[in-house]
């Protein structure tokens, strides 16, 4: 089915490659709900939805395209969703409304993918702009992470100030970051995952991490779909003028 012999590989090699890919990207299962929960979306629901999206996307890529690529929600758009779209609106745009923009961008992307226009748009974007978007997303994610860890804080004088480097949260972050960087330099597969695991263990034994409700539970999903009527989603985009938001989602 997967043309193992034709691709000059083995089942063992593919299983090891799949496990390596899993450990490299599984951090998104925790990070994605951590970011989106700041907008009011329940953490456990985003946690479950992230896993479902990764399972469906990866299986679709494997069974339909026969391509060894794992699919999961990526970093960048989630931070943009939480900080720029919802967070900077001062309550004017709820996460429900922001999801309308996400839904609209998804519909437009599907339509573009079914036409030659998608390829033409990708080729029309200059290479330096593509690199700039990639670097900008990386810097934005780093900024959000540093702010969440307390390494940088808001400052009235110059907007951004240095946080309390003696706080337990900052020290834990720096230790975990240093450990992850060392593993990445050593080309250890799954360096980010092992860095998260190492940091989590330190946090647990220092009392910064606790499991009040246990370590396992049944998955939680919303009682109903947030987007049930496409016309309502399109109407939200028009009513709140979220055209630039839709364009940003679609472009990235």
């Amino acid at each position: 089915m997967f043309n193992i012999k034709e691709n000059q590989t083995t089942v063992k090699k593919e299983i090891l490659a799949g496990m390596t890919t899993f450990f490299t990207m599984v951090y998104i299962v925790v990070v994605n709900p951590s970011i989106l929960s700041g907008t009011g979306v329940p953490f456990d629901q985003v946690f479950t939805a992230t896993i479902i999206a990764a399972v469906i996307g990866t299986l679709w890529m494997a069974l339909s395209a026969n391509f060894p690529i794992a699919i999961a929600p990526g970093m960048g758009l989630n931070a943009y969703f939480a900080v720029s779209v919802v967070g900077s609106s001062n309550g004017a745009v709820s996460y429900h409304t922001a999801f309308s923009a996400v839904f609209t961008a998804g519909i437009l992307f599907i339509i573009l993918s079914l036409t030659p226009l998608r390829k033409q748009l990708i080729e029309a974007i200059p290479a330096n702009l593509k690199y700039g978007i990639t670097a900008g997303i990386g810097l934005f994610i780093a900024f959000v992470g540093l702010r969440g860890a307390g390494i940088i804080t808001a400052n009235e004088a110059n907007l951004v100030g240095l946080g309390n480097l003696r706080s337990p949260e900052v020290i834990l972050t720096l230790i975990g970051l240093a450990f992850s960087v060392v593993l990445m330099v050593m080309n250890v597969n799954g360096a980010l995952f092992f860095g998260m695991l190492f940091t989590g263990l330190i946090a647990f034994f220092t009392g910064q991490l606790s499991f009040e409700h246990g370590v396992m539970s049944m998955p939680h999903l919303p009682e109903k779909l947030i987007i049930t009527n496409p016309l309502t989603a399109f109407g939200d985009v028009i009513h709140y003028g979220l055209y630039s938001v839709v364009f940003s989602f679609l472009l990235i």
Side-chain angles (χ1 to χ4, degrees):
M1 179 178 180
F2 296 108
N3 302 321
I4 299 294
K5 294 182 179 180
E6 290 81 352
N7 291 314
Q8 298 180 353
T9 183
T10 62
V11 174
K12 178 182 178 181
K13 182 183 294 185
E14 293 304 306
I15 292 177
L16 291 175
M19 293 177 61
T20 300
T21 302
F22 172 79
F23 285 126
T24 301
M25 65 184 290
V26 73
Y27 74 93
I28 194 63
V29 173
V30 177
V31 176
N32 193 43
S34 297
I35 293 177
L36 293 183
S37 61
T39 66
V41 189
F43 181 96
D44 51 354
Q45 293 183 4
V46 183
F47 180 83
T48 304
T50 302
I51 295 175
I52 293 176
V55 170
I56 294 176
T58 302
L59 286 177
W60 200 334
M61 184 65 71
L63 301 177
S64 179
N66 193 21
F67 208 61
I69 294 294
I71 302 296
M75 288 293 295
L77 286 178
N78 49 7
Y80 173 72
F81 177 98
V83 179
S84 297
V85 180
V86 179
S88 63
S89 67
N90 296 321
V93 177
S94 66
Y95 74 85
H96 299 87
T97 303
F99 274 129
S100 295
V102 176
F103 179 81
T104 302
I107 295 297
L108 292 176
F109 183 80
I110 293 176
I111 295 175
L112 287 176
S113 298
L114 297 176
T115 66
L117 183 60
R118 174 178 175 272
K119 181 179 179 181
Q120 296 176 4
L121 288 175
I122 293 176
E123 294 176 348
I125 300 175
N128 56 352
L129 182 57
K130 295 178 183 178
Y131 297 142
I133 292 174
T134 305
I137 293 174
L139 290 173
F140 180 62
I141 295 173
F143 184 86
V144 172
L146 292 173
R147 179 178 177 273
I151 298 177
I152 60 176
T153 58
N155 187 291
E156 294 182 359
N158 57 356
L159 299 182
V160 179
L162 190 63
N164 182 12
L165 299 183
R166 297 182 180 180
S167 67
E169 295 81 6
V170 172
I171 295 176
L172 178 65
T173 301
L174 295 177
I175 292 175
L177 180 61
F179 183 79
S180 301
V181 169
V182 170
L183 293 183
M184 293 179 68
V185 171
M186 296 174 62
N187 293 322
V188 176
N189 293 323
L192 291 177
F193 173 78
F194 292 119
M196 289 177 59
L197 183 62
F198 178 73
T199 307
L201 289 174
I202 295 178
F204 178 75
F205 287 111
T206 57
Q208 300 184 56
L209 176 64
S210 61
F211 300 97
E212 299 178 357
H213 305 288
V215 295
M216 296 182 64
S217 66
M218 292 297 293
H220 295 275
L221 289 174
E223 295 181 359
K224 59 181 181 179
L225 294 175
I226 292 178
I227 303 297
T228 56
N229 186 347
L231 296 179
T232 301
F234 299 147
D236 288 342
V237 171
I238 296 174
H239 177 74
Y240 290 94
L242 300 178
Y243 306 110
S244 61
V245 176
V246 172
F247 178 77
S248 298
F249 285 133
L250 189 63
L251 176 65
I252 296 176

